[in-house]
Amino acid sequence: MFRPRNLQLDSESEHTMEEDSLSVDVNTEGLRFRKIDLEIGKEGITNYSTGVSLALNPAEIETGQVIGHGSSGVVFAARHIPSDTLIALKSINIYERDRRKQLENDLKALDDFSCPYLVSYYGAFFSEGVVKVCMELMEVGSTRRIVNALAGRPEPVLPEEILYCIAKPILLGLNYLHREKHMVHRDIKPENLLINSKGQVKLSDFGICRELANSAALCNSFVGTFTYMSPERIFRSSYAYPGDIWSFGLVLMELLKGEYPYSKASTFLEMVETLQREPPPFLPSNGLYSPELVDFLSRCLQAVPEQRASCEELLNHPWMQRYKGVHIDFLGWLKGVLL
Ligand code: ATP
Ligand code: MG
């Protein structure tokens, strides 16, 4: 819907924000990420390394209601007037360092991600110190809504076949990131698993970007988001694909139990202590859950990253195979729960 056209942007910068992993020139016209050679101006994005530009005329976007709040800013429902397409518009305050990092990663998603299990990014533009990122509107919102709506229900809060309807597309999206893009998501959590009005589940926010310099920075910058992090990431050892599998396992666990498995750890230090002291969360073999699901989750929630299953292994796991060819009315279930 947004056709590329070449942009002429003012390249003279007013000031530069130098950072260890990222340098950004910012002026009143926009900002330029020097390392990835990409510029966001008032009329869109130009990627100088690929030669691709995505033009977006802000005047052609009508902003509607607020649909969500994140740490980087507000998400609005909006309409791209010429194509009469509803979109989501995420505003990111670029004067915060971590937000620029997140933005850099969001922008990578504009490159050539074509996967039906990832939320599509259409473009971005700069407006009064804020970058607005346009993306596919996921009308139902995030799986956090499901967790909230089912709070207080007895275990299992969610039928296994409904869990499957969420787990499968997320694994397919993750598999695409891992295998095709050689990329770690790094921020799998209920808020980043979005659902549209057709009942399709997709992954958004392709990560908090990169490793942080030290664990103090980790404590300070990501209070609230460390919760889904894997032990090896928390303990600062190498962090790769299995970290996403751990987070994925925790999200499934939360959906089933109606409670985040480490809800008692309210600070980063408590989380570290709990991970050191306790075995990973697991489902009880008490008949509430199928043995296949108990095994499936234990393949995700292994303390040692190398022992965790890959996306491919999980997609071929007997629990997944059980539902092959089975019709499940996920949308009907969703309406019943959320309306
Ligand atoms: P954090 O800022 O810590 O990453 P977050 O993922 O919740 O948390 P955002 O990505 O800014 O922050 O999103 C805020 C909320 O807006 C989400 O929780 C989700 O409910 C909603 N949201 C985000 N993107 C979309 C979208 N494309 N369509 C519909 N709703 C969305
Ligand atoms: Mg998000």
Side-chain angles (χ1 to χ4, degrees):
M1 69 179 201
F2 300 113
R3 255 181 300 123
R5 83 176 139 89
N6 285 328
L7 288 178
Q8 288 296 316
L9 294 173
D10 180 6
S11 59
E12 240 175 66
S13 56
E14 278 168 9
H15 59 282
T16 301
M17 299 172 180
E18 282 288 354
E19 286 155 6
D20 45 341
S21 60
L22 181 72
S23 62
V24 191
D25 299 333
V26 183
N27 66 23
T28 50
E29 296 296 305
L31 66 166
R32 181 165 184 157
F33 292 88
R34 280 200 260 151
K35 215 169 160 195
I36 54 174
D37 215 4
L38 190 144
E39 197 161 68
I40 305 176
K42 289 179 174 168
E43 296 172 72
I45 297 179
T46 306
N47 186 332
Y48 291 97
S49 57
T50 61
V52 173
S53 61
L54 276 168
L56 262 185
N57 182 353
E60 293 178 342
I61 291 175
E62 183 182 65
T63 307
Q65 285 182 335
V66 172
I67 50 173
H69 291 270
S71 48
S72 57
V74 182
V75 181
F76 298 91
R79 190 168 69 94
H80 181 244
I81 301 164
S83 61
D84 194 23
T85 309
L86 292 175
I87 60 169
L89 196 66
K90 179 165 163 176
S91 60
I92 298 176
N93 181 350
I94 50 123
Y95 291 104
E96 283 174 50
R97 181 179 185 272
D98 295 321
R99 300 306 144 226
R100 289 197 299 283
K101 284 193 166 196
Q102 188 164 358
L103 176 64
E104 186 196 13
N105 222 45
D106 277 348
L107 295 172
K108 284 184 195 153
L110 283 164
D111 271 359
D112 58 346
F113 285 79
S114 67
C115 171
Y117 309 105
L118 300 180
V119 169
S120 297
Y121 282 70
Y122 301 133
F125 59 88
F126 179 83
S127 170
E128 292 161 358
V130 171
V131 168
K132 300 209 170 146
V133 179
C134 301
M135 54 181 162
E136 184 178 357
L137 177 67
M138 302 297 283
E139 298 89 344
V140 176
S142 79
T143 51
R144 173 61 66 204
R145 274 193 76 191
I146 299 180
V147 175
N148 291 344
L150 299 180
R153 288 207 189 175
E155 250 187 86
V157 162
L158 197 87
E160 287 191 23
E161 67 269 22
I162 297 297
L163 188 74
Y164 166 82
C165 296
I166 297 170
K168 189 176 178 196
I170 295 309
L171 271 182
L172 287 166
L174 264 184
N175 194 41
Y176 176 85
L177 286 182
H178 292 178
R179 292 272 164 262
E180 306 278 324
K181 296 290 160 190
H182 310 290
M183 206 176 139
V184 184
H185 185 289
R186 292 194 168 91
D187 199 17
I188 301 286
K189 57 181 180 179
E191 288 77 0
N192 285 339
L193 316 186
L194 302 179
I195 308 168
N196 67 17
S197 54
K198 292 182 197 149
Q200 293 169 326
V201 183
K202 303 188 183 197
L203 256 179
S204 75
D205 288 5
F206 311 138
I208 290 201
C209 206
R210 58 194 68 230
E211 291 303 298
L212 294 164
N214 55 55
S215 43
L218 194 81
C219 294
N220 297 336
S221 324
F222 294 110
V223 173
T225 50
F226 67 81
T227 42
Y228 293 87
M229 281 182 191
S230 55
E232 67 277 16
R233 194 169 174 211
I234 286 200
F235 297 129
R236 309 292 311 142
S237 56
S238 73
Y239 177 71
Y241 306 127
D244 284 342
I245 301 292
W246 171 273
S247 314
F248 167 76
L250 286 190
V251 172
L252 297 197
M253 202 76 164
E254 182 167 356
L255 283 164
L256 283 171
K257 297 197 150 237
E259 190 185 27
Y260 167 67
Y262 292 109
S263 57
K264 290 192 186 77
S266 56
T267 65
F268 184 76
L269 279 181
E270 276 172 31
M271 182 80 187
V272 171
E273 275 167 21
T274 312
L275 285 172
Q276 272 172 336
R277 207 179 43 230
E278 291 177 11
F282 59 92
L283 287 180
S285 305
N286 57 4
L288 270 185
Y289 302 97
S290 68
E292 292 91 343
L293 179 58
V294 173
D295 187 69
F296 182 88
L297 270 173
S298 81
R299 301 289 297 114
C300 301
L301 295 169
Q302 290 289 321
V304 180
E306 292 75 21
Q307 288 173 1
R308 274 173 233 150
S310 65
C311 293
E312 259 163 27
E313 283 165 341
L314 291 172
L315 284 163
N316 289 317
H317 188 278
W319 182 68
M320 283 268 152
Q321 296 303 315
R322 244 172 64 169
Y323 300 104
K324 220 175 167 183
V326 177
H327 173 74
I328 305 165
D329 184 13
F330 178 56
L331 198 56
W333 179 88
L334 210 54
K335 283 181 183 159
V337 162
L338 298 180
L339 288 184

